[in-house]
Amino acid sequence: MRPAILFPLFRPLAGLPGLGAKLARLAERLAGPHAVDLLWHLPSGLIDRRFAPKIAEAPGGRIATLTVRVDGHAPPAAPRHPYKVRCTDETGVLELVYFHARGEWIQRQLPQGRTVVVSGRVEWFHDTLQMTHPDAVVPVEERAGIETVEPVYPMTAGLPAKTLRKAIRTVLDDLPDLAEWQDAAWLARQRWPAWRDAVRSAHTPTEEADLTPSAPARRRLAYDELLANQLALALVRLQQRRLSGRAVAGDGRLRARVAAALPFALTGAQQRALAEIDADMAADRRMLRLLQGDVGSGKTVVALMAMLNAVEAGHQAALMAPTEILARQHAETLAPLCWAAGVEIAVLTGREKGRARSRVLERAASGELPLVVGTHALFQEEVAFRDLALAVIDEQHRFGVHQRLQLSGKGRAVDVLVMTATPIPRTLTLTAYGDMEVSRLTEKPPGRQPVQTVTVALDRLEEVAAGIRRKVGEGARVYWVCPLVDESEQLDLAAATERHAYLRALFGDRVGLVHGKMKGTDKDAVMAAFAEGRLDVLVATTVIEVGVNVPEATVMVVEHAERFGLAQLHQLRGRVGRGDKPSTCLLLFDPHLTETARRRLKTLRETEDGFVIAEEDLRLRGAGELLGTRQSGLPEFRLADLAEHDDLLAAARDDARLIVERDADLQSPRGQALRTLLYLFERDAAARTLRSG
Ligand code: ADP
Ligand code: MG
């Protein structure tokens, strides 16, 4: 349970001073649902109001704080004109300018003859200095309160900056005093402040350097976040290890039958991965292994062999996919091979209902059914296995650690194999999986044709369509992807629907459409028509990204390629080039490209190596562009910037490993403090694996 000392940080935003229901909703969208999320919403800039020149010395365009005497008021001469207040000091004239303001209010704030302090952006207008709508006007006695540095936060429309600042200030004002969770020697060596000071100082920058990732307060907070992440992973892993494993070693008879039925031989990389998996399964610890390989590298067959190993030894195995389509596709791919081996396989997703569903459930529970493929429906309570020995999770980064735990809780000593298609750079592997063992399929199956990648400006759409039409005439099968951007699903859907209509008008009715809002069965029907060649062109939002396999498809068109991340484009491109015919990938882009988008497209033109692309992706994604991470489901960091703090990530991994070795239950004083750290960063699932203490 979350420690009581953190309760104030987990109160909802609504109710903080200035945040009524409506503004709280905006702040939530900006930062997150709890007070603590405001703490993680760090300033991106600052306004220095300490700059206090005389009028004559004030440079135009800058924020300045001026001490002036109010000389006279000039109410608007006509309705649309501004209200002006003339002020002076011994060096010149400053005019305060107000649009749509109430004169009465201005007169009260700025009585004639009074000396006041005003702060705001100034501009020169002929030889008069002007300040339009001062940010602050106070009596001279309060001058010290104004001449400060104000943090500037990333904003959202409709939420006044002042309101957000005030809410953050409120949370900062009563920060709990948390026991130190960092190692004292390490803190001293890094010269980092204590947590509370670090949070406060990150929110009160006094110079630009304080805003950079290398500022000590920011590094400390980044390290806290990374340590929470690494410790959570280490604990989960420890828990898996603790639950004793068992040796699972089949005799190879089913696998031999599948090998004989396969139209190809396994690649060296596949064989190596299988040997590693076999060794893990045969050991009496639990396996927790990541099978990493580019799209099309042949992970599925490796997974099947591993599952058959469990079946040969008399146990059950399950494969879980992130989407319904993928689960069905896996089942379809595996069915003929399982059939050749004489092993039954069933599908279980949210869509199986009634009798069919209860049959699968009964037979999984009785142990009659050796293999089940499904979606997260496999997690549900009602699903029980008599003797589950291996869970394969085809992750595509969509499941979290928590879910991994759930499935492996479905059996006694379940071995876990996680498959992932994006060749994640080493750093990201660490944040997503901790120290998991990794098998990599680095070699593609033989006979693959390279994919020719071409970038074309969107205004040449007609030419592209004509080219595609020629290819379809020659028998090509084409994916046409219209991107889905979260903010306006409706609009995107409209774009895909419109493109579908456009292509239909050109090519006739052998053009299909598939998108996320469709019913599962309808989606399947369209996919099947495309796979069987009854459709030549498949217009899709990103649903096909996750792994459909239609080896006959040789053309991939991606509209607005600039909106996708590198990894996603690489995934999409991986949908073609799977058969023995040469393939093409056309990336259509909006000519108003950002420099980063241009680099992304260039990278794709130049290489097909997933690992190179992944590294480049990490380099290109600055802190501002971490959107790609959100979409991929990799953990998101609020405070750590993986491009800037990779040294800290490595340190956090070592630190976490040591902590778990010495104080696995987090019972020592530091251990207790670390529990708080886990809750602070909402790693509750990992904290719950601990014995209470
Ligand atoms: P992944 O899941 O890694 O994206 P798949 O397992 O779907 O890749 O394999 C892609 C395609 O390659 C499938 O059609 C599969 O049958 C084929 N394949 C797998 N292994 C080999 C191999 N060793 N030689 C030739 N083709 C292979
Ligand atoms: Mg696959």
Side-chain angles (χ1 to χ4, degrees), residues 129-182:
L129 192 66
Q130 284 194 338
M131 186 184 289
T132 305
H133 294 205
D135 299 330
V137 177
V138 297
V140 216
E141 309 86 74
E142 289 172 29
R143 178 175 170 154
I146 290 295
E147 282 186 11
T148 56
V149 183
E150 256 171 42
V152 175
Y153 290 99
M155 291 302 307
T156 184
L159 181 66
K162 257 190 188 159
T163 310
L164 178 66
R165 262 203 318 269
K166 189 161 159 210
I168 293 176
R169 185 49 46 202
T170 309
V171 183
L172 288 173
D173 280 346
D174 58 16
L175 283 184
D177 187 8
L178 305 175
E180 184 58 70
W181 47 75
Q182 297 295 2

Side-chain angles (χ1 to χ4, degrees), residues 299-300 326 330 394 396 547 578:
K299 293 182 293 297
T300 315
L326 252 190
H330 274 313
D394 185 359
Q396 321 264 0
R578 303 193 139 210

Side-chain angles (χ1 to χ4, degrees), residues 264-267 270 294-300 445-446 448 549 578:
F264 50 75
L266 295 184
T267 64
Q270 285 170 320
D294 221 338
V295 270
S297 60
K299 293 182 293 297
T300 315
R448 289 287 159 80
N549 192 19
R578 303 193 139 210

